[in-house]
Amino acid sequence: MLHINRLKRTFNNNQAGFQNINFSVDKGEIIGILGTSGCGKSTLLRVLSGLDPNYEGKISSKDGNDNIGMMFQEPRLLPWLSVKDNISFGLEKEERKSNKYQTYLDLVGLSGFDQHYPKDLSGGMAQRTAIARALITEPEVLLLDEPFSALDAFTKMQLQDLLLSIWQKKQTTMLLVTHDIDEALYLCDRIFILKGQPGEVFAEVAVEKPKPRTRGDAYLSKQKAHILNLLNVEKKAAGDEQ
Amino acid sequence: MISETQKWKAGERATAAKLLSPKGLFKKGRGIVLGSILPVVLLIAWELAAKAGLLAPHLLPAPSVILEKIMSMYRDGSLFGHVSITLTRVFLGFAIGTGAAVVVGAVVGYAKTAEQLLDPLFQAVRSIPSLAWVPLFILWMGIGEPSKISLIAVGVFFPVYLNIVAGIQGVDRKLIEVGKIYQLSPFQLTKRIILPAALPSFITGMRSGLGLGWMFVVAAELMGASEGLGYLLVVGQNTYSPDTVIASILLFAVLGKVTDSVLKWIEYRSLKWQDSISNQA
């Protein structure tokens, strides 16, 4: 449903960004994009979300629907709006006044917090609100840019489970940028490993295990070793060049 | 999640209880008492010194004499006239100055070209001392109300303008990106993200603008008026009556404080969402 063809966006005389990215995403898939920092993975999401229009190549979605949801590393809630109004932010004017937000408030486990302001929320709760805001417009594709990297380990696991349970209910297609190998293995169906500057897809790892998975499962550990190995190759290659 | 929520709720209960407890009320009352000790002691010392003949009554009359002066103006009805005309001038000048600053500040803050075009001029005009405008405005508009109100409006304009521009330019790019994800038009982006985000600095600008408005109304009324608190200052000076001068200074202080409190209250009401020291519940 989402096809990306020879996508390229570089900065600083082709020293940063990414190039030659080709992949397609099927409906309901969770795709992970893994890579060390500086390989252009966040830039890729900015291009896909439309925040960065200066790219080359082609992005096409089957339905021609450009309804995209995005979650950032920070919650990016509007501090002057209550949780309720933050969740409803992306809706049209009439819908904002309805109580459509209630479904999503319950979905992310924040029932009863609708009148609170962001300043009164913990990091995890703020990120839950951001999830609800991203989902309420029922996006075709949900783009997640390291959404849990600023959270503590426990909150992170809770929110990963929350994301999975939402996926089970709504079958939302997701594109998850992360630098956490365990997170990618726990959530994703396929993982693209980006390497280089500018970054290119270096390898694709399929995680053929039905979700929900068990953390620390033997198969996932094996895949993790495989991915680490792939990333190590990069290190060696860099060492050889010097 | 449950632990997170419970933790939060426990925190909320604790702070709410703290506010409502006698101890919390005592704390608030203590602030007021502490703040008024020094003024009360000074007033009493002043009164006693005047009564004992230590202060020359033609230079610094006793507080009771000043109060009596205000009461007599209240009884003969002239107090209301002076206060209301001064308030009207400040209010009109403030409204005009703020209105102009909102329009110009929004354009300058939002459009780079407008900033390059207009900002250097405004910065230059801003550095002209307020009193330098008085003769020019009187030449242009005569000695009546328009020149006075224009002078006040000019004074109010600059702080409001500067703060609006700074507020708009300081809006977090990350929040604007949220709006762009939802494909908001420039107008919607301004209305739903930029203006609310710039509101705190707009209100700061209004408060310092109001302060300057009070300064400029004195300048305007000193120059030529037949009514108003500034006019009372002149009358007091010319008739050697320090009680009139001090009475009008006192009235300026009270009015300035009251109008600022109104803005402060609006600030509190509209910025409850801010995560600041003063908002800690």
Side-chain angles (χ1 to χ4, degrees):
Chain A
M1 61 170 301
L2 181 70
H3 299 283
I4 290 158
N5 203 352
R6 297 196 63 79
L7 200 62
K8 178 181 177 184
R9 169 74 170 117
T10 52
F11 313 89
N12 303 339
N13 287 327
N14 289 348
Q15 290 297 301
F18 60 84
Q19 63 184 9
N20 203 14
I21 303 275
N22 303 288
F23 62 82
S24 10
V25 184
D26 290 330
K27 191 165 171 53
E29 253 190 321
I30 304 185
I31 300 291
I33 296 165
L34 201 64
T36 46
S37 70
C39 68
K41 49 191 196 311
S42 290
T43 314
L44 177 60
L45 278 204
R46 292 179 61 82
V47 165
L48 293 179
S49 67
L51 285 178
D52 186 345
N54 303 312
Y55 61 88
E56 294 163 40
K58 214 175 149 206
I59 306 169
S60 51
S61 70
K62 209 177 213 168
D63 323 341
N65 188 338
D66 54 357
N67 183 0
I68 273 172
M70 175 113 179
M71 260 190 81
F72 302 92
Q73 190 175 342
E74 327 79 27
R76 298 201 187 183
L77 302 179
L78 304 175
W80 54 88
L81 295 181
S82 62
V83 167
K84 171 196 157 200
D85 293 333
N86 262 298
I87 292 177
S88 310
F89 185 81
L91 296 174
E92 292 300 319
K93 204 167 185 179
E94 299 77 46
E95 272 192 312
R96 252 182 273 153
K97 292 195 186 90
S98 72
N99 47 7
K100 190 175 178 185
Y101 73 92
Q102 192 65 47
T103 323
Y104 292 86
L105 193 73
D106 298 340
L107 187 70
V108 296
L110 284 179
S111 316
F113 284 88
D114 47 344
Q115 295 303 331
H116 287 86
Y117 284 104
K119 71 177 170 101
D120 300 324
L121 302 178
S122 69
M125 291 158 81
Q127 204 58 314
R128 282 167 194 270
T129 312
I131 296 177
R133 177 177 69 185
L135 288 171
I136 199 166
T137 49
E138 288 165 359
E140 209 77 20
V141 182
L142 180 60
L143 306 172
L144 304 127
D145 187 3
E146 303 188 13
F148 310 131
S149 64
L151 301 171
D152 65 89
F154 295 109
T155 315
K156 192 177 194 170
M157 285 194 263
Q158 285 175 340
L159 289 200
Q160 286 164 353
D161 289 333
L162 172 67
L163 204 65
L164 263 192
S165 73
I166 289 169
W167 175 81
Q168 279 165 336
K169 272 181 217 157
K170 309 231 164 209
Q171 295 292 312
T172 315
T173 311
M174 301 188 203
L175 225 68
L176 170 75
V177 159
T178 180
H179 52 227
D180 181 340
I181 302 176
D182 294 312
E183 181 171 278
L185 285 169
Y186 187 64
L187 296 172
C188 302
D189 302 306
R190 283 189 290 153
I191 302 170
F192 295 115
I193 295 169
L194 254 61
K195 88 158 217 198
Q197 280 172 331
E200 287 185 61
V201 175
F202 169 69
E204 181 185 331
V205 177
V207 189
E208 284 150 353
K209 182 129 191 157
K211 285 169 284 192
R213 300 165 185 151
T214 324
R215 290 177 205 273
D217 174 286
Y219 172 74
L220 295 188
S221 306
K222 212 181 86 195
Q223 290 288 48
K224 184 176 180 179
H226 176 54
I227 292 172
L228 278 173
N229 200 26
L230 288 171
L231 290 169
N232 266 336
V233 168
E234 180 196 16
K235 212 188 258 170
K236 272 183 206 152
D240 288 343
E241 277 167 30
Q242 283 167 0
Chain B
M1 174 58 209
I2 291 164
S3 66
E4 217 176 313
T5 317
Q6 278 176 344
K7 211 161 60 189
W8 194 91
K9 283 199 168 149
E12 181 194 42
R13 262 203 307 276
T15 45
K18 207 158 71 192
L19 267 184
L20 290 174
S21 71
K23 213 174 173 184
L25 285 176
F26 174 74
K27 244 184 168 173
K28 206 173 176 188
R30 188 167 166 257
I32 298 171
V33 171
L34 270 183
S36 42
I37 288 177
L38 209 55
V40 168
V41 168
L42 274 176
L43 269 177
I44 293 172
W46 177 6
E47 179 74 38
L48 290 177
K51 284 267 152 59
L54 291 172
L55 299 172
H58 68 283
L59 294 179
L60 190 58
S64 54
V65 177
I66 294 162
L67 200 67
E68 179 47 41
K69 176 74 198 170
I70 295 177
M71 288 314 289
S72 78
M73 281 196 295
Y74 171 72
R75 277 191 299 270
D76 67 20
S78 62
L79 181 72
F80 180 76
H82 291 306
V83 167
S84 66
I85 190 85
T86 299
L87 264 180
T88 311
R89 285 171 185 150
V90 171
F91 179 76
L92 283 176
F94 181 71
I96 294 169
T98 306
V102 168
V103 175
V104 181
V107 173
V108 169
Y110 201 61
K112 192 83 196 151
T113 325
E115 189 194 357
Q116 287 164 337
L117 195 71
L118 297 172
D119 202 53
L121 176 72
F122 284 136
Q123 295 295 346
V125 174
R126 187 172 74 99
S127 51
I128 298 171
S130 55
L131 289 177
W133 290 110
V134 175
L136 192 64
F137 281 2
I138 290 176
L139 267 179
W140 284 349
M141 289 170 270
I143 207 154
E145 294 305 308
S147 64
K148 292 187 183 62
I149 289 166
S150 309
L151 185 69
I152 297 163
V154 167
V156 172
F157 176 84
F158 286 104
V160 181
Y161 162 80
L162 288 176
N163 278 286
I164 285 186
V165 173
I168 290 177
Q169 289 178 344
V171 176
D172 192 351
R173 176 188 54 83
K174 292 176 172 176
L175 295 183
I176 293 181
E177 281 182 359
V178 171
K180 287 193 173 152
I181 290 282
Y182 293 108
Q183 291 160 1
L184 299 188
S185 66
F187 173 72
Q188 286 175 312
L189 205 63
T190 310
K191 189 177 144 225
R192 298 185 59 197
I193 296 185
I194 295 173
L195 286 185
L199 187 66
S201 81
F202 173 52
I203 294 182
T204 307
M206 286 214 296
R207 284 182 66 186
S208 49
L210 186 67
L212 276 183
W214 280 106
M215 264 175 69
F216 278 49
V217 80
V218 178
E221 290 181 345
L222 280 177
M223 289 304 149
S226 52
E227 226 186 350
L229 292 175
Y231 162 77
L232 272 187
L233 287 172
V234 182
V235 170
Q237 185 197 349
N238 293 343
T239 57
Y240 297 103
S241 44
D243 52 342
T244 314
V245 176
I246 297 176
S248 54
I249 289 176
L250 214 66
L251 286 169
F252 271 123
V254 170
L255 289 176
K257 178 73 191 157
V258 168
T259 47
D260 186 58
S261 301
V262 172
L263 279 186
K264 207 173 168 184
W265 181 76
I266 294 174
E267 183 177 20
Y268 171 75
R269 295 286 305 172
S270 53
L271 299 182
K272 262 200 260 181
W273 49 268
Q274 268 193 325
D275 196 3
S276 59
I277 296 174
S278 57
N279 272 351
Q280 274 173 3

